[in-house]
Amino acid sequence: MAHLVSLDNTAHRQIRVDKGRVEAAGAALNMVPVVLSEFLKLVVQYPIAFTKDKDTGRFACVALFGFHDSENLFVDDGRWDAIYVPLQVSRQPFFLAQAGNPATEDEHFVVCIDIEHASIGAGGERIFDTDGQETPCLEEANGRLAELLNGEEPTRQFIDALVHLKLLVPMQLEITFGNGETTQVQGLYTIDDARLKQLDGGAIARLHAQGFLGPLHTMLASLGHVYAMIDRRNKRLARAEVRP
């Protein structure tokens, strides 16, 4: 269970973070939320889709790692087998928390650390030097947190524009793996390519002016990685069968 505390350069001066264990800790994630600024890195290997919160009805963009709960096909023997690790994974064990009073316009964000995270231990890189100054390890984490924070609003605007144009539809994924096992992936949404082609020039021009046409096509292109993920799972199943 996460135990978040506000980061302090005195109390946490001796903490070290093992980046390899940061990645290994993502082995049980079958998807994570992502922001628009990541899309061109994600599209190299991951399918990008949408999920819908059953309580609020709000959509979120996610990168897909597996076909079942707690399945990550990109982590093998504790190592992330991918060119790019999404921000929601690589920024661990750091988080942003809101502080202050919104009513007095004194609201701000503070960096927190999960002191129970598996990446914290005797090995790894220090996050503060002996003088209490941030090390490159913490500076990199702060950059990832800033990218996530700054990406929230553009990503929300992107989703709202697609919802307004009725471009989101449930994904239909029925998969048969090499061992004969079948599965249906549910709860994911994608862009309705047929409806997109029917949009008038004005709607397309507005999407382009907002900077959303590129990410939209990136998401559609990324879905081809579903086949690569099937291949990853088939290879994992085959390895499991030959182990004594």
Side-chain angles (χ1 to χ4, degrees):
M1 181 178 294
H3 183 183
L4 302 184
V5 296
S6 179
L7 192 61
D8 182 272
N9 67 350
T10 299
H12 304 128
R13 190 169 298 185
Q14 302 304 318
I15 282 182
R16 293 176 179 266
V17 173
D18 186 328
K19 293 183 179 179
R21 293 171 70 183
V22 168
E23 296 183 2
L29 298 172
N30 76 324
M31 67 179 71
V32 295
V34 295
V35 293
L36 286 186
S37 61
E38 296 184 88
F39 276 23
L40 291 181
K41 300 171 185 176
L42 294 166
V43 72
V44 176
Q45 286 181 295
Y46 308 102
I48 312 170
F50 300 92
T51 58
K52 186 177 184 180
D53 188 293
K54 63 181 180 180
D55 296 321
T56 66
R58 301 290 288 180
F59 288 94
C61 296
V62 296
L64 187 64
F65 307 145
F67 300 109
H68 301 90
D69 290 343
S70 303
E71 178 184 64
N72 189 331
L73 298 170
F74 294 90
V75 176
D76 196 1
D77 291 330
R79 297 180 59 187
W80 203 281
D81 180 25
I83 298 171
Y84 174 73
V85 179
L87 293 171
Q88 286 287 4
V89 176
S90 61
R91 55 90 175 170
Q92 301 280 349
F94 303 100
F95 297 78
L96 283 180
Q98 287 182 306
N101 186 352
T104 60
E105 298 185 354
D106 186 34
E107 192 175 25
H108 58 281
F109 289 90
V110 296
V111 178
C112 295
I113 185 169
D114 175 9
I115 59 174
E116 301 293 336
H117 196 272
S119 65
I120 295 177
E125 301 178 40
R126 294 184 60 160
I127 60 175
F128 294 109
D129 63 21
T130 54
D131 296 321
Q133 300 300 308
E134 296 182 0
T135 65
C137 175
L138 182 54
E139 290 175 351
E140 288 176 7
N142 285 338
R144 295 182 181 108
L145 291 171
E147 185 174 350
L148 284 169
L149 179 63
N150 294 333
E152 285 183 2
E153 184 57 26
T155 306
R156 173 55 49 203
Q157 292 174 357
F158 171 67
I159 293 171
D160 287 346
L162 300 187
V163 170
H164 176 73
L165 293 171
K166 297 181 173 60
L167 285 175
L168 301 190
V169 292
M171 287 179 64
Q172 304 293 331
L173 282 179
E174 297 184 10
I175 301 167
T176 301
F177 298 105
N179 64 351
E181 173 191 344
T182 61
T183 189
Q184 289 186 339
V185 179
Q186 299 179 335
L188 296 176
Y189 293 76
T190 188
I191 294 161
D192 187 339
D193 192 31
R195 181 168 175 80
L196 174 64
K197 292 175 181 176
Q198 295 173 355
L199 291 181
D200 60 36
I204 295 294
R206 286 191 294 274
L207 286 171
H208 177 69
Q210 292 171 302
F212 296 156
L213 202 55
L216 184 156
H217 286 294
T218 298
M219 291 192 77
L220 285 171
S222 76
L223 296 181
H225 290 306
V226 168
Y227 298 101
M229 286 177 56
I230 293 172
D231 184 58
R232 281 176 179 263
R233 192 165 196 276
N234 282 335
K235 289 177 179 177
R236 184 170 292 189
L237 290 169
R239 289 199 304 269
E241 289 178 356
V242 300
R243 286 174 183 166

